[in-house]
Amino acid sequence: MSSVIASTPFSVLDRSRTREGHPVAEALRDTVRLAREVEELGYRRFWVSEHHGVPGVAGSAPTVLAAAVASATRSIRVGTGGVMLPNHQPLVVAEQFGVLEALFPGRIDMGLGRSVGFTDGVRRALGRDKDDADDFAGQLDELLDWFRGTSPTGAHARPSEGLSVPPFVLAMGEGADIAARAGLPMVIGDLRNREKMRRGIDHYRTRFRPSPWAPEPYVVISGTIAVAATPEAARRLLVPEAWSMAYSRTHGTFPPLPPAERVEQLAMTDKEFGFYEAGLSGQLAGTEEQVAHELETVLKETEADEVLVTTSTYDREALLDSYRRLARIASLTG
């Protein structure tokens, strides 16, 4: 067993992906069930995401869903990957995480991103535009002020003030630089573009400024990892998400996940097939032995402190089996 893998914590981000032929609400219940299952396997954290107006994702209110996950589990850390800060007033975000931390002390993480709504219509409905993401660093500082009790408004966030809720920055675009200057842990993906990931990590470590939140750099690498009994079975786990991504690139909307067998029978245009093949390539997928070898290489290259697994697929039992196999690779103990 690789010592570098065994010494690395593994966590899970579930995006509450909807599935063809299943009610939207079922995706949220699936997320809560998966959280209980991966807690038993020994994963460190379980995070949920924020998407608005996307047919393929049910998770539109991450702090609400995080509360449900925390209520259904006992010890696993629960958080967001992430709350998209430009969509919200920092005071409201501070209050929500303060309530979560008060209810589930010592178990809540605050993962934060800088994306705004997926479409123009969603951005209008949120009262935001693309430029709002440009002030992410200022919004982040304002949010942390509420926990520190140092807001220049003179107001106070209750029950947040004085609580310690670990913040993480999702490093999209300039996020690595923002995380470094703020002295916060960074989550960076994806595993398909290793060179870009390494550049982002090097940039972050070089510019990191210690803070009360993190005395030294902390890097979480994120991406899809699919493990199965055969390479072919592992590849089929990737098929539904790869097709949904290809469809979104060619039709402008992100659909529910289809079964792999339906995708494999589809006639695709050249453009669709190109995006589809790109979605299948470069992922960490294979047998336990194959994935262990790839994981060891990635961890040695990046010197990452933690791995956040973001796999989505139609077959929920196959997904859980993948997490069981990965837990064996990583010597996790439930």
Side-chain angles (χ1 to χ4, degrees):
M1 179 60 61
S2 165
S3 59
V4 69
I5 296 176
S7 62
T8 302
F10 281 73
S11 299
V12 174
L13 166 65
D14 190 74
R15 288 179 292 141
S16 304
R17 293 288 273 113
T18 59
R19 297 183 291 158
E20 285 185 1
H22 295 261
V24 173
E26 186 177 325
L28 299 172
R29 293 191 290 269
D30 285 341
T31 292
V32 175
R33 278 194 292 269
L34 182 63
R36 287 198 294 261
E37 289 159 340
V38 300
E39 177 180 57
E40 293 300 318
L41 292 172
Y43 287 85
R44 174 174 284 190
R45 312 176 200 276
F46 189 92
W47 285 5
V48 296
S49 63
E50 174 182 342
H51 296 270
H52 299 283
V54 180
V57 184
S60 56
T63 53
V64 176
L65 184 53
V69 168
S71 295
T73 53
R74 300 183 305 276
S75 59
I76 195 170
R77 295 195 64 88
V78 177
T80 55
V83 164
M84 296 301 146
L85 197 50
N87 291 337
H88 310 280
Q89 290 296 330
L91 170 60
V92 175
V93 175
E95 290 172 336
Q96 291 173 346
F97 279 98
V99 168
L100 285 170
E101 176 64 21
L103 291 171
F104 308 100
R107 291 183 58 203
I108 302 301
D109 299 323
M110 185 167 59
L112 306 160
R114 64 186 296 268
S115 293
V116 289
F118 187 60
T119 64
D120 289 339
V122 168
R123 287 190 288 272
R124 286 196 300 272
L126 291 169
R128 299 292 186 268
D129 59 45
K130 290 182 179 179
D131 293 342
D132 287 308
D134 295 339
D135 191 35
F136 178 60
Q139 295 157 353
L140 182 61
D141 194 50
E142 182 181 344
L143 172 63
L144 299 180
D145 275 343
W146 291 114
F147 288 94
R148 293 183 291 232
T150 54
S151 170
T153 65
H156 299 272
R158 310 292 187 199
S160 315
E161 189 172 309
L163 296 180
S164 180
V165 182
F168 295 74
V169 172
L170 275 62
M172 296 173 288
E174 64 182 275
D177 191 60
I178 292 171
R181 285 188 278 113
L184 300 180
M186 177 185 72
V187 182
I188 187 167
D190 65 50
L191 294 170
R192 288 178 299 174
N193 192 335
R194 310 283 178 81
E195 183 56 38
K196 183 179 179 181
M197 177 185 282
R198 285 196 297 269
R199 288 198 305 269
I201 292 171
D202 290 344
H203 182 89
Y204 166 73
R205 289 186 173 131
T206 299
R207 290 162 175 78
F208 184 84
R209 302 175 183 172
S211 75
W213 304 101
E216 57 189 26
Y218 191 90
V219 175
V220 183
I221 58 172
S222 68
T224 295
I225 303 176
V227 196
T230 66
E232 295 74 22
R235 186 180 186 277
R236 294 189 87 236
L237 279 168
L238 306 176
V239 164
E241 183 78 4
W243 166 244
S244 291
M245 289 296 295
Y247 189 92
S248 72
R249 295 287 183 87
T250 52
H251 294 77
T253 184
F254 199 63
L257 293 174
E261 54 268 23
R262 187 174 82 75
V263 175
E264 291 167 342
Q265 296 171 359
L266 288 174
M268 302 184 199
T269 66
D270 289 344
K271 189 175 183 180
E272 287 170 340
F273 186 72
F275 284 127
Y276 173 67
E277 283 292 305
L280 293 174
S281 64
Q283 309 280 17
L284 266 65
T287 63
E288 290 176 42
E289 183 179 1
Q290 290 170 327
V291 170
H293 175 74
E294 280 293 309
L295 259 177
E296 183 171 24
T297 299
V298 172
L299 288 171
K300 286 179 176 178
E301 287 178 352
T302 62
E303 297 182 336
D305 299 286
E306 187 171 336
V307 178
L308 178 68
V309 188
T310 63
T311 311
S312 296
T313 194
Y314 182 91
D315 186 335
R316 298 295 293 190
E317 184 52 46
L319 179 64
L320 178 57
D321 181 65
S322 177
Y323 279 120
R324 289 192 189 108
R325 292 175 183 274
L326 181 58
R328 285 202 292 268
I329 293 170
S331 299
L332 304 184
T333 55

